Amino acid sequence: MTVLLIALGAAVGAPLRYLTDRAVQSRHDSAFPWGTFTVNVVGSLLLGVLVGWPAGPAVTALLGTGFCGALTTYSTFSYETLRLAQGGHRLLALANVVGSVAVGLAAAAAGYALTRVLLG
């Protein structure tokens, strides 16, 4: 049953990642991968909320592993960073690495803290 919940969450998260990435990136005339950055930060925030919320294993599988796991993308982040560096945009590549890690961690911490405050 757990595998089915993960697959269901991923079936929603993966297309949402793609559509969000394309929508965000189409609004920016920049080599920086704003779409991937956005989905990774939003996914980190949502995962922080989920960790702060006392959810059972089924909800964690569906939303954490399935949905957030498919919404966020480490492989695309890595590929786009490498593409930036190889294309001569080394500062943008560095900004992508530092910014994604720092803002992603901050978003996860903020989601967790906000949830804990709201739940008392």
Side-chain angles (χ1 to χ4, degrees), residues 41 63 73 102 105 111-112:
V41 170
L63 298 178
T73 172
L105 287 171
Y112 176 82

Side-chain angles (χ1 to χ4, degrees), residues 66-77:
F67 181 76
C68 289
L71 178 66
T72 60
T73 172
Y74 190 75
S75 58
T76 303
F77 157 74

Side-chain angles (χ1 to χ4, degrees), residues 19-90:
L19 294 171
T20 302
D21 174 64
R22 295 295 86 212
V24 170
Q25 198 61 40
S26 71
R27 288 169 173 73
H28 295 278
D29 187 26
S30 168
F32 190 83
W34 288 109
T36 300
F37 182 84
T38 300
V39 295
N40 285 343
V41 170
V42 169
S44 295
L45 175 71
L46 292 174
L47 194 55
V49 168
L50 183 62
V51 170
W53 177 38
V59 173
T60 300
L62 175 71
L63 298 178
T65 305
F67 181 76
C68 289
L71 178 66
T72 60
T73 172
Y74 190 75
S75 58
T76 303
F77 157 74
S78 300
Y79 166 75
E80 290 174 341
T81 301
L82 181 61
R83 184 179 49 101
L84 285 170
Q86 289 176 335
H89 301 284
R90 292 197 172 128

Side-chain angles (χ1 to χ4, degrees), residues 86-115:
Q86 289 176 335
H89 301 284
R90 292 197 172 128
L91 285 178
L92 285 179
L94 180 62
N96 191 36
V97 171
V98 172
S100 292
V101 172
V103 177
L105 287 171
Y112 176 82
L114 178 64
T115 304

